Amino acid sequence: MSDNSTLYILLAAYILDIVLGDPRWLPHPVILMGKAISFFEPVFRRFIKLEFVAGLLFALILIFATWAASFWIVKIAWLFHPFAGIAAEVVLIFFCLSARTLERAASEVKEAFEKGSSDEINSFRNNIDAIKNCKIDNGLEAARFKVSMIVGRDVKYLNETGVVKATVETVAENFVDGFLSPLFFALVGGVPAAVAYKMVNTLDSMVGYRNERYILFGRASARIDDVANFIPARLSVLIISIAAAIISLKRGKLAFITAIKEGREHKSPNSGYPEAAFAGALEVKLGGPNYYHGQLVEKPHIGKKFGDPGRENIRMACELMLLSSLVVMVLIIIFALVITP
């Protein structure tokens, strides 16, 4: 952080994210990233026969192209006018953050349990063989539908506890992916690095699977995402623990201890740390086996000594995530004040 302008840009982007979230009427760069990934995947597969090599070049070129595009957008904006340059940086960082959007999506899952089904959700139910002929609580169906929008696992197998677990886990994991990591890269490498990170994360979410289609082609994308999130995931333990301690010293202590003891037990080298911190802070058991693309994946439980989460833990997870995001910004401000003469 070379001067206070970076601090003001990050603060402005943070405030926009908390106030606006991701407005549906505003085109989002991640959508463009997704379209680019879908367009270029068959191109690289067609011209490079070795799947791992094709996937590696595919990932590296898209990440670099994203970095270059954001670099030139910012540079041209600054050449046009300093205000335009600042505005461009604020908007691009704003697009990289998703704390408010995550909170809204998770809250919709909790609300779905109470509000029940709708025509849209009934259509979703009718397309899932496992449940379309069963009599199931409308609230559970609605919650399944809502959580399917934010998780990668097969929701048709989830009971109420499974839906709640999936929601809390994605809030914890996406605190890193959707907030802490973009800010980390913005501080380390500026706006282009933060935007490039979003491409890394989008690649992982689209092709970083261990199934037959992507086990080789998506391996590079998955490993790059692992490397990118390595430091932020571990920093998240301290940040989540501080936020939990603000709520209750006991919760802060449990968050830190659970993350240190059980964070590394997750199949992912990074996701386990924020998930374990949330498990400790909320005193709930997360993880366990889940279905992905029709296959049962054995995953260890995290927070093993605690009980299963309930609906109210969704709200508590959202509050902890938002408070953790505030702690991040306070720490950035303190850091800026300390190093600025």
Side-chain angles (χ1 to χ4, degrees):
M1 187 179 299
S2 58
D3 53 51
N4 284 336
S5 65
T6 302
L7 173 62
Y8 299 143
I9 287 167
L10 296 182
L11 280 174
Y14 169 71
I15 292 170
L16 282 177
D17 176 57
I18 294 300
V19 173
L20 298 178
D22 291 330
R24 294 181 180 179
W25 53 267
L26 194 61
H28 201 290
V30 170
I31 296 176
L32 297 178
M33 293 178 190
K35 289 181 178 179
I37 291 168
S38 297
F39 178 83
F40 285 107
E41 179 187 339
V43 174
F44 278 84
R45 285 183 181 272
R46 187 181 308 122
F47 290 103
I48 304 174
K49 299 306 178 184
L50 294 174
E51 283 195 58
F52 175 75
V53 175
L56 175 62
L57 292 175
F58 165 78
L60 292 177
I61 289 172
L62 283 178
I63 293 166
F64 176 76
T66 304
W67 180 91
S70 56
F71 173 84
W72 283 108
I73 288 172
V74 169
K75 188 173 182 65
I76 291 170
W78 273 100
L79 289 173
F80 181 75
H81 193 277
F83 180 78
I86 292 173
E89 293 196 35
V90 169
V91 170
L92 287 175
I93 294 294
F94 160 65
F95 278 130
C96 291
L97 305 179
S98 56
R100 177 59 73 189
T101 299
L102 177 61
E103 182 268 337
R104 288 173 179 168
S107 296
E108 286 179 1
V109 177
K110 182 177 182 297
E111 292 171 4
F113 279 118
E114 282 79 36
K115 292 183 178 179
S117 194
S118 68
D119 291 339
E120 182 182 20
I121 296 166
N122 281 328
S123 176
F124 167 76
R125 179 184 188 234
N126 291 335
N127 287 318
I128 296 182
D129 292 336
I131 67 172
K132 67 181 181 181
N133 295 319
C134 301
K135 185 177 180 181
I136 300 176
D137 177 77
N138 277 345
L140 177 58
E141 290 181 41
R144 279 175 172 161
F145 173 76
K146 289 297 183 181
V147 82
S148 73
M149 302 293 103
I150 57 175
V151 300
R153 69 195 66 181
D154 294 340
V155 302
K156 61 187 177 182
Y157 301 101
L158 299 179
N159 57 16
E160 179 172 324
T161 298
V163 171
V164 173
K165 277 188 179 183
T167 307
V168 173
E169 288 168 18
T170 202
V171 169
E173 181 179 353
N174 282 286
F175 165 66
V176 176
D177 294 350
F179 189 83
L180 185 57
S181 285
L183 284 178
F184 174 81
F185 281 97
L187 289 169
V188 171
V191 172
V195 180
Y197 167 77
K198 293 303 292 184
M199 174 57 86
V200 169
N201 194 237
T202 307
L203 279 164
D204 180 61
S205 67
M206 292 183 67
V207 305
Y209 296 107
R210 295 179 181 178
N211 56 25
E212 184 178 353
R213 177 177 176 82
Y214 291 117
I215 186 65
L216 292 176
F217 186 85
R219 183 175 295 172
S221 294
R223 297 293 81 78
I224 292 170
D225 184 77
D226 289 343
V227 172
N229 285 308
F230 185 87
I231 294 175
R234 285 149 183 82
L235 286 175
S236 74
V237 171
L238 178 61
I239 292 163
I240 295 166
S241 298
I242 292 172
I246 293 172
I247 300 171
S248 159
L249 289 177
K250 176 189 174 185
R251 291 187 182 277
K253 181 180 178 181
L254 285 172
F256 187 79
I257 291 174
T258 306
I260 296 302
K261 286 185 175 180
E262 302 183 44
R264 69 186 66 184
E265 296 179 13
H266 198 284
K267 278 186 171 291
S268 165
N270 298 317
S271 299
Y273 289 94
E275 286 186 23
F278 267 69
L282 303 180
E283 298 183 73
V284 297
K285 180 169 64 177
L286 301 176
N290 272 295
Y291 283 88
Y292 294 84
H293 307 287
Q295 296 182 338
L296 179 63
V297 177
E298 294 292 340
K299 298 170 65 177
H301 288 286
I302 295 177
K304 291 183 281 289
K305 70 177 183 179
F306 304 119
D308 289 329
R311 298 178 186 180
E312 190 60 23
N313 290 120
I314 295 176
R315 177 190 61 79
M316 295 171 68
C318 289
E319 291 175 352
L320 179 60
M321 183 270 297
L322 291 175
L323 184 55
S324 297
S325 70
L326 179 60
V327 168
V328 173
M329 297 311 301
V330 171
L331 291 176
I332 289 175
I333 292 170
I334 293 172
F335 178 69
L337 293 176
V338 168
I339 70 168
T340 302

